[in-house]
Structure formats: C-alpha cells, structure tokens
Amino acid sequence: MNAGEGFFAPAGACRLPAGRWRDGRLEHATELVADEVPVALVYNGISHAVMLASPRDLEDFALGFSLGERIVDDAREIHDLEVEEAAQGIAIEMRIASGAMMRLKETRRARIGKTGCGLCGVESLACFDDEACAAQAQGGEARFDPEALQRAMAGMAARQDLHHATGAVHAAGWADGSGELLCVREDVGRHNALDKLVGALARARFDSADGFAVVTSRASFEMVQKAARAGFPMLAAISAPTALAVQLAERAGLTLAGFVRGGRHVVYSHPQRLAVESG
C-alpha cells in the first residue's frame, strides 16, 4: 500500500495532490506527506536556533534540545514554555532561569538546523574536541539481554504512525531492560526524534539510565553525543555507525550497537553491558 492510500492523516502529515504511476497508467491521487516546518527556539525573547522539524511533540523537542545542548542543566530551569504559530513557521518561547540565560549568552552562536548532519556550530577543532569529551553515558554496570535489543527494535514499527502514513520520518524509542518500549517519538530529522525522546522522558521524570535508546537511523557522532549527554547507557541503531561515533561512544562509556535487525546486531563499544560469551 502506498503512503496516503487508505491512511488517515495523523498529526504531522498533510494530504497533497500527486500523480501515481502504476501498472502502465497514470492515476490522479492524493498522498500523505510529512510536514516539515521551521521551528524557532527562543529563550527569554532571544531566538537561539531555527530547526526544521515535524510539528508534533514540540514541547518535548524544546526540552530535549535545551538539555542536549546544555542550555539548561535540568528541566526545572525552564520556567515557562509556549508553542506559538508564526507567519513563517512555529516559535517556541521559553523563559529560563537567569543563570542558564547567562551561560547561553556566553556561548550563543547562530545556527540553522537541517535534517542532515552538522557539528552544531562549534567554532574550532579545539571546541569540537572539548564537546566530544564532555559527553558521558550513565547506567554504571547495567546489563542487558541481547534479545532485549531485538525485542525493542521489532516493537518500533507498531509505534510509528507518522512513518506508516508517510514513509518519511525517523523514530527514537526508550525501552526498559526487558526490551519493552515505554516511549517513542518521531520526526523528519533523526536528531530531532532523539531530542523529543529525551524531552519526553524528562517531562515524565523517567531516569534514562534505567533503560536504553533505540533509533531507526544510522548512529552518527551527534546521535551518540546526544545519547551520552542524556544518560542512556546504550544506544541501539537499526543501521550503521560512523567511525567517529564509535570513538565517541568508547570515550563516553556508551554501549553502541548497530545493524539491530533480523535477530542480529553488531556491538562496537563497551560490550560488557551485553554480557554473553563470544561465539
């Protein structure tokens, strides 16, 4: 079944006219397409970043982004948060603690978010190395059954209503030690999906170290960085990692698994959390 055929339009999707070529014929149809809008993150009246994102779960996104970029150290430093429609997109207005705002002013830099990769505007190679060293995973000596990875990844499909409708978004999920998914968030950008997950867990007051993160994308440097900063002990990706991501995961104490699908996976760092005898 094609995206849009027989599907209701979930939040974050819209119907657009299209021409569908099938069995040698052109048919006029409507297709469900994922929404992608500019979202401005505004702190105490100052616009800090503009990200391209799916217009759903934006409160989670704002909190997760703020924590992941270390704009705030704790959710309680955000005193007020409002999502407002704007002429060109959406503005998320946040009022943050004075200490957090002072730190933000010291480090503020202009950036434009994209659905691809980037280094979030670090100013030099030295700054980049400092950023890499700052990420530290939590979870101590947490152990996970390898089957929990497979169970969590297999369960992701049933929780991705926006992807089922449009075929155009990524998802990030959080599973407990048994692999049961307790929270899933979707977005056109894989980084955004992980930010939304981090924000959702913080709002619900879950301890991210009590489970692990699964993502329906590759594991890039920034995905590992966000996972480590959020305190996940393990990140499991359906696709491959990059070499830089593996190096960061090793330094940060994060267990990184890739190609988690079809009953198989590859562990690239800190395999002790998946304690089984090698075969």
Side-chain angles (χ1 to χ4, degrees), residues 186-212:
E186 294 183 276
D187 198 275
V188 289
R190 64 186 187 278
H191 302 151
N192 298 343
L194 189 51
D195 279 337
K196 288 180 177 180
L197 177 67
V198 171
L201 296 180
R203 292 180 71 199
R205 300 187 182 279
F206 284 123
D207 186 349
S208 56
D210 289 340
F212 60 93

Side-chain angles (χ1 to χ4, degrees), residues 65-77:
F65 178 90
S66 300
L67 290 168
E69 295 301 313
R70 294 182 295 182
I71 294 168
V72 298
D73 294 325
D74 187 275
R76 290 171 293 187
E77 289 189 293

Side-chain angles (χ1 to χ4, degrees), residues 64-150:
F65 178 90
S66 300
L67 290 168
E69 295 301 313
R70 294 182 295 182
I71 294 168
V72 298
D73 294 325
D74 187 275
R76 290 171 293 187
E77 289 189 293
I78 298 180
H79 299 320
D80 189 41
L81 188 157
E82 293 185 7
V83 178
E84 301 178 352
E85 295 285 343
Q88 297 84 14
I90 295 173
I92 305 178
E93 300 275 354
M94 286 168 278
R95 185 168 60 85
I96 62 176
S98 58
M101 192 63 200
M102 287 180 64
R103 294 194 303 269
L104 178 60
K105 287 181 176 179
E106 291 173 359
T107 60
R108 197 167 76 91
R109 55 204 181 252
R111 77 183 72 176
I112 297 294
K114 300 180 179 178
T115 53
C117 297
L119 290 176
C120 284
V122 295
E123 297 172 352
S124 68
L125 291 176
C127 290
F128 168 65
D129 192 58
D130 290 343
E131 292 283 301
C133 292
Q136 290 294 325
Q138 302 299 315
E141 297 304 312
R143 294 290 188 272
F144 300 99
D145 187 331
E147 289 302 317
L149 273 70
Q150 303 297 328

